[in-house]
Amino acid sequence: MTEKIKINGTGSSYELGYNLPLKYKDFSWSSSITLNDYNATGESRTNNLEWKTSYIGLQNTIDYQFFDSFYLFISAQAGLNLSTIVYGKQQINNSANSLMGNKDFSGLLLQPTLGVNAKYYISKTGYLSLGCNLAKSYSLNPTPDKVSFNTYQILFGGYFELNKDKHL
C-alpha cells in the first residue's frame, strides 16, 4: 500500500520583461525573464520532508484588456513559461541533499499560465498592478518520476513606460 503525503509550500516569484501593444485594440504581448521558487514541506508517518527549489525561465504571455475606466484597467492573460532549475535542496529528517543534477528536477519545465491583472496608472509613464495566476508545470524530462508544480500566484507589480512621447 502506498502512503499518501500532503505537500504544500510557499515561494517567491520575480519577473522582468517587456510589454508590447499589438495592432488589435485591446491585446498586448509580454516577454520576460522569470525566477520562481517552488518550495514544499510535508510529512509521512516516519519522515519530515522539505524541498527548496528555484527555476529561471523565459515567459511569453498574451494579455486581453477587457475593462477600462479612467485610470483602472483589468486584463486576462494566458502564457507559457519554459524554465530550468538553478537551485535545489531536499531535506528528509536531518539529512540534506542537493537537487542539482537530480534527473527528476533537472531539465526543462513547461508551465502554461492563466491569470487576471488589474492596473492603476499613477502617472503618465507608470502604473501599479495587482493580479493572480494559476499554473501547472510539466516536466519535459524522459524520466518515470516527473516533477510537477501546481501554483497559485498573487502578483504585485510596478511598470514604467520606456516611450516618453506616449500620453494617457
Side-chain angles (χ1 to χ4, degrees), residues 79-144:
L80 282 174
N81 187 309
L82 191 62
S83 61
T84 189
I85 193 168
V86 292
Y87 171 80
K89 179 181 159 188
Q90 170 183 292
Q91 186 152 345
I92 301 175
N93 296 328
N94 293 324
S95 176
N97 300 306
S98 174
L99 294 174
M100 301 302 294
N102 181 305
K103 290 180 184 178
D104 295 333
F105 286 83
S106 60
L108 293 175
L109 287 180
L110 180 66
Q111 184 178 50
T113 62
L114 291 174
V116 176
N117 199 22
K119 300 174 189 171
Y120 183 76
Y121 277 88
I122 56 175
S123 72
K124 291 182 179 180
T125 60
Y127 56 91
L128 297 175
S129 71
L130 173 65
C132 66
N133 279 349
L134 297 174
K136 179 173 178 65
S137 67
Y138 299 94
S139 174
L140 300 180
N141 294 344
T143 59

Side-chain angles (χ1 to χ4, degrees), residues 13-75:
S13 178
Y14 303 95
E15 182 176 349
L16 179 63
Y18 183 77
N19 182 278
L20 180 68
L22 298 176
K23 69 179 183 178
Y24 303 104
K25 184 182 178 211
D26 296 322
F27 287 89
S28 65
W29 166 76
S30 298
S31 184
S32 57
I33 294 172
T34 60
L35 181 64
N36 293 309
D37 293 338
Y38 301 116
N39 304 322
T41 58
E43 62 181 42
S44 67
R45 286 186 224 138
T46 57
N47 295 312
N48 290 318
L49 311 162
E50 181 177 46
W51 294 269
K52 292 192 178 287
T53 62
S54 295
Y55 284 76
I56 192 165
L58 179 63
Q59 181 166 292
N60 286 284
T61 60
I62 296 290
D63 291 12
Y64 172 67
Q65 183 177 298
F66 62 87
F67 180 80
D68 178 346
S69 176
F70 198 51
Y71 287 107
L72 178 66
F73 303 91
I74 301 175
S75 63

